[in-house]
Amino acid sequence: MKKIYPIVGMHCASCKALIEDVVGDVDGVQSVKVNYATEKMAIEYDENLVNVDVLKKAVKSAGSYELVDTSSGKTVLASPPVAHKMKSNKHEGHEMTLDEDMREKRYRKLQNKVFWLGIGSIPFVLIMIAMMMGSMLPSLNYIQFVIATPILFIGGKEIFQSAWSAAKVKATNMDTLIAIGTGTAWIYSTVVTFFPQLFSNIENGKDVYFEAAVFIIFFIMLGRYLEARAKGQASAAIKTLLHLQAKEATVIRNGVEVIIPVEEVVLGDVIIIKPGQKLPVDGIISKGSTSIDESMITGESLPVEKNIGDEVIGATINASGSFQYKATKIGADTLLSQIIKMVEDAQATEAPIQRLADKVASVFVPLVISIAFVSWIFWFFIAPQLGVISAASSLQFSIYVAITVLIIACPCALGLATPTAVMVGTGIAAGRGILIKDASALEIAHSLNVIVFDKTGTLTLGKPEVQMLKIDDKYLPLLYSIEKESHHPLATSVVNHIKSIKKHVSLKVINFKDVSGKGVTAQVDKKKVVVGTGRFMKELKLNIPSDLDKLAGALREKAQTVSFISVGDEVVGVVGIADSIKEDAIDVISKLKSRGIRTVMITGDNQKTAEVIGKHLGIDEVFAEVLPGEKAEKIRELQLNGLDTSFFASSPRGAHDIAQKKVSSPVERSVSENFAHKSVVAMVGDGINDAPALATADIGIAMGTGTDVAIATGDIVLVKGTLEKVVESIDVSQKTLLVIKQNLFWAFGYNIIGIPVAAGVLFPFFGILLSPIIASMAMAFSSVSVVGNSLRLRYLR
């Protein structure tokens, strides 16, 4: 079983690693991944061996964390969390999920704690100011002890509890560093306060570090408060989606209009919508016509005209006109619910680029403790021998340096670097009608160098239309009657065309036969009628007049599919049918080529027709007459283009093994197979017929249409099927990856520079020594800076 559970109480990247280790050791758990930024745990387990209670117990044993079982669907009526409020309070009174309510309470508790810690820090600020001004103060050590002790052990209670919980399972976390650092400062200062004679021979031996311990706790909690607020803003996009749904619906029950909560709408209900109203659920218009603003779902700004029989989407807004529609999808089945689930699932995944940061974070705390210990040894034993400091000051100095090293170190920034950017990036994409199902797809998209397009329904509208029909009007009833018996899309286009010119008359049809790939035959009104290809006509020994044959050649030059019509033994007409190219197709292909991306079209059409369309679009390469089952093989060929096969000489089957390897996710494709091919390939298709090709490509981009998006396959789903969104997807990927790299650079750079400076490497040369208070400020704000940088993606243009 695969599930995603919210985790409440995490406050650093070490928490993520600790929970993964503890839960991963539970019998029956097959895989577990914790996302620190979204505070969610994605887990796969054997439900015969593991249940929710077992998981809750395991998470609890790792520290002061709590797994929230949201399967009960419990909600709490409340105003939105302060941490998540934007400039407007328009969503007040929404129903919060159980985990949101728990996070809200935790946030408010943290907010109050920071306030009182700030008040408690004021006396120490005054003491520091007085000392900087040279005031001679009497010994205030006892007063500092009385104020600092409750601040440290009550205000910082959760820090010490978390460190102890980690120690009990033989692990460490960020709180271990803080607890050791502040605890050491408090113990040393307390001993100095009550037993000053022990340090009478030490230079400045009566100095205490109560103020350092107080300010460290204050800045750590302030940083967590600001981080919680920033993370709330990072998840604002998904919260906006959650608030899009209408709260009520006007339905017809027993012939009477009644207003009911949206949760009480059932399948088949007839819903009444007036101008300006929000649609509560998905459905099909049964009466009236209108235009609907679907921008909040599809990202398209212009209203869409809707008539009887058209599908409508819940949470969209009726721009004009009144209409009625029948509910076809409710609750979790609506498009909005599917979108929210896709985005939440994507935000719970981990991009491959995060793996390095995770590896560092997993050994970070023990490494920092080791560095702090080595620093203490150096400054206490070695530095006095080298004459860097006096022996009388070595104890104080070494403790001071060790505390600073422990406090400045911060794995949290490493843990937040990637997931916060992914949160914002996937949320922004969803608001534009681009559903990115996996964080790895978001990462890979920026490095694409080949994009393969299916023709029908992707580059074209997927609705063949008659472009030319040359036939005497007296034969139209015969043509209409035989084509109406066929279910082929080309036959449907002929039927619709004859209807549009008001020449449709139904005649009796017998002995109808559909010859696959060739055409149809039947007796219509006692006349033998055949509609089919030129080859089919020749097989039936029917001669095609030269004028019709010449016209057919001209139609093929225009990329039209040609069929001939015969009545009796005479070919009497020709019809040219073509699928119209999407308006933005040429522009999109041009933009992709300008970025150095090779474009390929793949289709089952004949070579001539495909080449004409490809040339018109500016496509680099065309694969024609390809069966659906062969498309995946073409994708593999493109991926393996330029492969150095000598690399695989030692393998019994060589590169073929890699090309045939079944993979289940873009992560596996990118990590385990990318070395085997030089081209990173995306497949753009309708998500149903092209499923094998979409799965084979490094990224499958499915063109969703209306509510069909819920069943579309692919790593990225374009809700409205607009080609321009392909380019936009690459843009979002590029900008997100840039932010991730900036975040990682800052996170690694901060620790690489900060820890050595805290350890005193600059002191022998420049006399520079970092204060534990400054270190705590830097540590507290390092995570906030990473989240803040990720939030810049919200302004992506």
Side-chain angles (χ1 to χ4, degrees), residues 410-562:
C410 181
C412 304
L414 291 172
L416 288 168
T418 297
T420 51
V422 169
M423 280 174 66
V424 179
T426 52
I428 293 301
R432 298 182 177 194
I434 303 167
L435 303 183
I436 300 171
K437 292 184 176 182
D438 197 301
S440 57
L442 183 65
E443 177 178 334
I444 296 169
H446 84 287
S447 58
L448 291 171
N449 47 34
V450 178
I451 297 184
V452 182
F453 293 90
D454 176 50
K455 180 181 77 71
T456 306
T458 302
L459 292 171
T460 66
L461 295 174
K463 297 178 180 178
E465 296 178 342
V466 173
Q467 307 294 323
M468 164 67 74
L469 175 58
K470 183 174 177 59
I471 192 171
D472 194 298
D473 282 0
K474 67 182 180 181
Y475 296 121
L476 287 177
L478 299 173
L479 177 61
Y480 174 80
S481 299
I482 189 173
E483 291 285 63
K484 199 170 70 164
E485 296 296 313
S486 174
H487 297 292
H488 195 283
L490 298 182
T492 302
S493 66
V494 172
V495 170
N496 291 336
H497 176 74
I498 296 175
K499 278 184 177 181
S500 69
I501 59 176
K502 310 297 183 185
K503 300 289 184 179
H504 53 293
V505 176
S506 293
L507 302 173
K508 185 178 181 181
V509 178
I510 59 172
N511 298 328
F512 176 85
K513 186 178 181 182
D514 187 336
V515 183
S516 180
K518 296 179 180 180
V520 294
T521 66
Q523 290 286 332
V524 184
D525 196 28
K526 298 182 180 180
K527 298 181 179 68
K528 181 183 178 183
V529 179
V530 179
V531 181
T533 64
R535 183 181 298 176
F536 192 35
M537 295 295 166
K538 290 177 182 178
E539 287 180 9
L540 297 175
K541 300 189 182 332
L542 296 171
N543 293 320
I544 301 172
S546 58
D547 60 329
L548 295 182
D549 195 35
K550 185 177 180 180
L551 177 58
L555 296 177
R556 291 191 188 98
E557 289 292 333
K558 296 179 181 178
Q560 295 181 25
T561 300
V562 175

Side-chain angles (χ1 to χ4, degrees), residues 342 346 426 434-442 444-445 664-667 669 681-683 687 693-702 712-718:
M342 285 183 190
T426 52
I434 303 167
L435 303 183
I436 300 171
K437 292 184 176 182
D438 197 301
S440 57
L442 183 65
I444 296 169
S664 59
S665 72
V667 175
R669 288 197 290 272
V681 181
M683 170 69 189
L694 288 167
T696 302
D698 295 282
I699 294 182
I701 303 177
T713 59
D715 308 306
I716 298 176
V717 178
L718 310 181

Side-chain angles (χ1 to χ4, degrees), residues 83 99 166 271 283 288 296 312-313 432 487 554 578 732 736 771-772:
D99 58 305
I271 302 168
M296 64 287 299
V312 291
I313 305 169
R432 298 182 177 194
H487 297 292
V732 171
T736 303
S771 161

Side-chain angles (χ1 to χ4, degrees), residues 590-712:
S590 176
K591 286 180 179 178
L592 293 174
K593 292 175 70 174
S594 70
R595 297 171 183 226
I597 297 175
R598 180 180 166 204
T599 56
V600 179
M601 184 179 79
I602 193 165
T603 179
D605 275 358
N606 66 74
Q607 188 71 35
K608 182 69 175 177
T609 300
E611 286 177 356
V612 171
I613 293 175
K615 185 177 180 181
H616 178 66
L617 290 170
I619 295 283
D620 292 318
E621 188 170 359
V622 173
F623 292 137
E625 301 177 20
V626 179
L627 297 175
E630 298 172 342
K631 290 181 180 180
E633 188 57 40
K634 291 294 182 183
I635 297 294
R636 291 191 189 99
E637 289 177 13
L638 289 168
Q639 289 173 326
L640 294 168
N641 184 34
L643 176 67
D644 180 7
T645 54
S646 63
F647 182 82
F648 304 98
S650 60
S651 171
R653 297 185 65 201
H656 180 74
D657 283 338
I658 294 169
Q660 297 296 324
K661 179 176 180 278
K662 291 298 290 180
V663 293
S664 59
S665 72
V667 175
E668 293 179 37
R669 288 197 290 272
S670 65
V671 174
S672 66
E673 288 190 32
N674 244 10
F675 72 94
H677 57 261
K678 292 188 176 181
S679 295
V680 183
V681 181
M683 170 69 189
V684 186
D686 63 17
I688 301 169
N689 297 331
D690 301 312
L694 288 167
T696 302
D698 295 282
I699 294 182
I701 303 177
M703 306 293 282
T705 53
T707 52
D708 288 340
V709 71
I711 59 170

